[in-house]
């Protein structure tokens, strides 16, 4: 059973920063490609970033240079550091695991967390 638990969302002013976390089991963390997605009301889910088991990262153009995906091996935790936030970044943010068809930001993932809300005003 793959369990992903996001945290770290909240409300922030434009130009501010937030760091999202996603806790996963050691097995999940070390075996799978991991990614971050978001979905704003009335919009389709949008891939943001991915990181593979070797630590190689990819990013969507919409967040490249502002967002950074990383993971802490000791804590089995995935992170998304978000800087220079904009009102259009307001969305529910999800972490995901296991991309069987390649590990890039736009991949299809099999497992999802429940999400954490980010609001930028």
């Amino acid at each position: 059973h793959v369990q992903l638990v996001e945290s770290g969302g909240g409300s922030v002013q434009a130009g501010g920063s937030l760091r999202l976390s996603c806790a996963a089991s050691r097995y999940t963390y070390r075996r799978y490609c991991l990614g971050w997605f978001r979905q704003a009301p009335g919009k389709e889910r949008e891939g943001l970033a991915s990181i593979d088991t070797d630590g190689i990262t990819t990013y969507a153009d919409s967040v490249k240079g502002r967002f950074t995906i990383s993971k802490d091996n000791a804590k089995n935790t995935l992170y998304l550091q978000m800087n220079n936030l904009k009102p259009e970044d307001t969305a529910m943010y999800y972490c995901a695991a296991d991309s069987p068809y390649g590990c890039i930001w736009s991949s299809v993932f099999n497992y999802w967390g429940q999400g954490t809300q980010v609001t930028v005003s």
Side-chain angles (χ1 to χ4, degrees):
H1 177 67
V2 176
Q3 186 174 16
L4 303 168
V5 181
E6 302 96 334
S7 62
S11 297
V12 64
Q13 291 187 340
S17 298
L18 281 175
R19 188 178 77 163
L20 306 183
S21 300
C22 176
S25 68
R26 183 173 182 272
Y27 177 86
T28 299
Y29 185 86
R30 294 176 184 272
R31 178 185 175 92
Y32 295 132
C33 168
L34 303 170
W36 285 100
F37 289 73
R38 68 185 178 190
Q39 188 166 19
K43 295 187 177 181
E44 293 187 354
R45 187 171 58 199
E46 175 187 13
L48 302 176
S50 68
I51 185 166
D52 70 10
T53 54
D54 293 323
I56 296 173
T57 59
T58 72
Y59 295 92
D61 287 343
S62 59
V63 301
K64 194 175 296 183
R66 297 192 300 126
F67 291 9
T68 302
I69 188 171
S70 64
K71 54 183 181 177
D72 185 324
N73 290 332
K75 296 182 178 179
N76 296 330
T77 301
L78 176 72
Y79 299 104
L80 185 68
Q81 177 67 45
M82 305 186 295
N83 298 328
N84 190 23
L85 284 162
K86 305 174 182 180
E88 52 263 43
D89 294 318
T90 295
M92 186 71 79
Y93 284 70
Y94 301 90
C95 64
D98 186 18
S99 173
Y101 305 115
C103 190
I104 61 173
W105 61 269
S106 58
S107 295
V108 174
F109 285 76
N110 287 326
Y111 304 107
W112 297 85
Q114 294 300 306
T116 185
Q117 177 69 37
V118 172
T119 302
V120 184
S121 60

